[in-house]
Amino acid sequence: MAVRPDNLLLPGFALGLFGLALLVALWPGPRQGTRLLRRWGVARPDEPDVAEAVRYLRRRRFWYPWLFMFLPPVADAARLTESSSTGTWTIVVTVLLGSLLAEVLAQRPSGRGRRTAVLAERRVTDFAPRWAVALYWLAAAGGVAQLAWTGQWVRLATLAGVVLVTWSTVLLAVRRPPSGSAEVDNALRTRSARVSTGLGIAASAVLAAPNTGWITWLAGAIACVWIANPGPTTRAVSA
């Protein structure tokens, strides 16, 4: 049966309004910037450090209302998710796409804050542990194999897109121009790499959910625990 356009647009519009209200309520300021830095290992951030963290958050959160509006109709039209997992899919992919757009914008040096010089080549494993990267690729490969085996080509194409978005975000976070102090720069790169990798695992699990049962929720739980509990910042590669 054909899907009526109003059945797709109205939920997206409602979610967009919700996202806009959430954006206004959670638009980051100095308090949120300070909390972010302390959570990711910067014990005593000063004013320029906090300003850098606020810019980091604003680049991401700006996109959330528009993605909330756009993604649910797409998911429903393509029948990517079951009704019980649509909300999870929307949140995960919204954060992933918001992070990608933010990292694309961050590739151009802002000219603000304290700049640092790179003394060694940055690698993904400087900011995300090897086991997490391995788990990410295992989840992606498992999802691809499962969806290909069952002939779910739309989901397979979507998962391929998720893998591309996730890994592009990680690489852009690792390679973007330095910004702020070395400690803050490393902390924000670490957050971007870890959160994107964790969400990539969760997205792979959600898309493969109809075929993987309890394995899906185990992978999702591991990803969420890893995101919610940041480890110490990685070794400094700039000074």
Side-chain angles (χ1 to χ4, degrees):
M1 183 174 64
V3 180
R4 292 175 56 189
D6 56 338
N7 289 339
L8 298 178
L9 294 177
L10 287 178
F13 182 72
L15 281 171
L17 290 178
F18 170 76
L20 185 59
L22 191 64
L23 177 64
V24 172
L26 299 180
W27 188 245
R31 181 180 300 178
Q32 290 81 6
T34 301
R35 186 184 302 121
L36 172 71
L37 291 177
R38 287 178 176 168
R39 179 169 178 78
W40 288 89
V42 182
R44 297 176 181 174
D46 58 20
E47 186 174 344
D49 294 337
V50 172
E52 189 64 37
V54 170
R55 281 193 292 272
Y56 172 90
L57 288 173
R58 287 179 177 177
R59 285 192 187 112
R60 282 154 177 74
R61 294 185 183 180
F62 171 80
W63 302 102
Y64 291 169
W66 322 114
L67 293 170
F68 264 114
M69 185 182 299
F70 172 74
L71 290 173
V74 173
D76 289 342
R79 299 182 180 179
L80 292 174
T81 56
E82 306 298 327
S83 58
S84 60
S85 62
T86 299
T88 303
W89 185 90
T90 301
I91 292 171
V92 169
V93 178
T94 292
V95 176
L96 277 174
L97 287 174
S99 298
L100 176 62
L101 292 169
E103 292 300 336
V104 169
L105 292 175
Q107 297 305 303
R108 181 177 180 179
S110 65
R112 294 174 290 189
R114 292 163 292 175
R115 300 293 303 278
T116 57
V118 178
L119 300 180
E121 181 181 1
R122 295 184 177 95
R123 299 170 298 178
V124 171
T125 51
D126 290 326
F127 303 98
R130 287 182 173 85
W131 69 263
V133 175
L135 181 60
Y136 163 75
W137 285 112
L138 180 63
V144 167
Q146 180 64 246
L147 295 175
W149 179 261
T150 55
Q152 299 183 64
W153 307 117
V154 173
R155 283 177 179 266
L156 178 59
T158 304
L159 179 55
V162 166
V163 172
L164 178 62
V165 167
T166 304
W167 199 243
S168 296
T169 304
V170 172
L171 293 179
L172 288 172
V174 170
R175 298 177 182 180
R176 64 176 167 80
S179 182
S181 67
E183 186 180 21
V184 170
D185 188 59
N186 283 328
L188 296 181
R189 290 177 197 274
T190 300
R191 182 185 187 275
S192 292
R194 289 174 66 102
V195 169
S196 296
T197 305
L199 288 174
I201 296 169
S204 298
V206 169
L207 286 168
N211 303 308
T212 54
W214 64 269
I215 299 177
T216 291
W217 303 115
L218 177 62
I222 291 172
C224 290
V225 168
W226 184 60
I227 291 170
N229 294 276
T233 53
T234 56
R235 66 177 179 85
V237 293
S238 59

